[in-house]
Amino acid sequence: MKKWLLPVGIIVILVIILSSGYNNLVKLSEGVNSSWSQVQNQLQRRADLIPNLVQTVKGYAAHEQEIFTQVAEARAKLAGAASVGEAAQADQALNSALGRLLAIAENYPQLKADANFRALQDELAGTENRVATARMDYNNAVQAYNTKIKVFPTSLYAGIFGFGPKDYFQAAENANTVPNVDFSK
């Protein structure tokens, strides 16, 4: 009669271990999702600042229409990004366009002295720092999650429960390339 206690005890222990492991995977997965939401939040904050910066620069550099178009297109791509990879590519395009926009501002001393422009530039710099921090937090959450699903014994059941690896936020291949600013056009 006591022979059934050992198998039942083992089954109960396995159920507890599996449910605990599952719950940990859910927490880590939600941590990744939350971190990605923060990246998107900061990218949106930056995208919201850009039209103000563009309008301020437009007042001084109306003939630089090409850069304004590039900034608007890059901002739209970032807003429409559906995946981590698309967001990374759109973010790189926006960084490049913003770099050219700020370089144009260097040619206009009155613009650089304008209080609105300086305030917007400071806000943009602060937002860039927030974006970098949010990306780092996201990648840390992805690392913790991906590590958890690959280690034993979690690796035995993570796939069964539908937990697969998450993508890191990676800079575009040409992120190390300095944008070429050409004022001769």
Side-chain angles (χ1 to χ4, degrees):
M1 189 155 170
K2 293 185 181 186
K3 290 182 181 182
W4 62 271
L5 285 177
L6 182 61
V8 169
I10 291 173
I11 291 172
V12 167
I13 289 172
L14 285 176
V15 167
I16 290 171
I17 290 171
L18 279 175
S19 64
S20 174
Y22 177 83
N23 289 340
N24 282 332
L25 288 174
V26 169
K27 288 176 189 175
L28 288 171
S29 179
E30 285 304 308
V32 170
N33 293 341
S34 173
S35 293
W36 178 243
S37 292
Q38 281 305 313
V39 170
Q40 289 179 314
N41 182 31
Q42 294 306 324
L43 292 174
Q44 182 62 50
R45 183 176 192 273
R46 180 175 62 178
D48 292 344
L49 285 172
I50 291 168
N52 295 330
L53 184 65
V54 167
Q55 289 304 318
T56 303
V57 174
K58 267 186 180 180
Y60 287 89
H63 63 282
E64 303 285 358
Q65 190 59 40
E66 180 183 344
I67 189 63
F68 302 133
T69 303
Q70 289 174 353
V71 169
E73 288 172 356
R75 183 174 173 263
K77 284 180 185 175
L78 185 60
S83 69
V84 175
E86 287 179 16
Q89 287 178 338
D91 182 54
Q92 178 59 34
L94 186 58
N95 284 340
S96 178
L98 281 176
R100 289 190 298 277
L101 179 68
L102 294 174
I104 287 171
E106 293 294 318
N107 279 352
Y108 297 91
Q110 309 92 335
L111 174 59
K112 289 191 325 185
D114 183 271
N116 287 336
F117 179 75
R118 284 196 324 265
L120 286 168
Q121 205 170 17
D122 289 344
E123 280 290 318
L124 193 58
T127 299
E128 292 300 325
N129 290 334
R130 289 179 180 146
V131 167
T133 300
R135 284 183 196 144
M136 183 182 68
D137 291 345
Y138 170 75
N139 282 341
N140 288 340
V142 168
Q143 179 187 18
Y145 171 82
N146 284 347
T147 300
K148 183 69 174 178
I149 66 169
K150 291 177 182 177
V151 297
F152 183 82
T154 312
S155 62
L156 297 175
Y157 57 84
I160 293 170
F161 290 131
F163 292 97
K166 304 274 187 180
D167 293 332
Y168 286 96
F169 189 101
Q170 297 178 351
E173 291 178 20
N174 62 348
N176 293 334
T177 305
V178 178
N180 183 25
V181 180
D182 183 7
F183 293 111
S184 63
K185 295 180 182 177

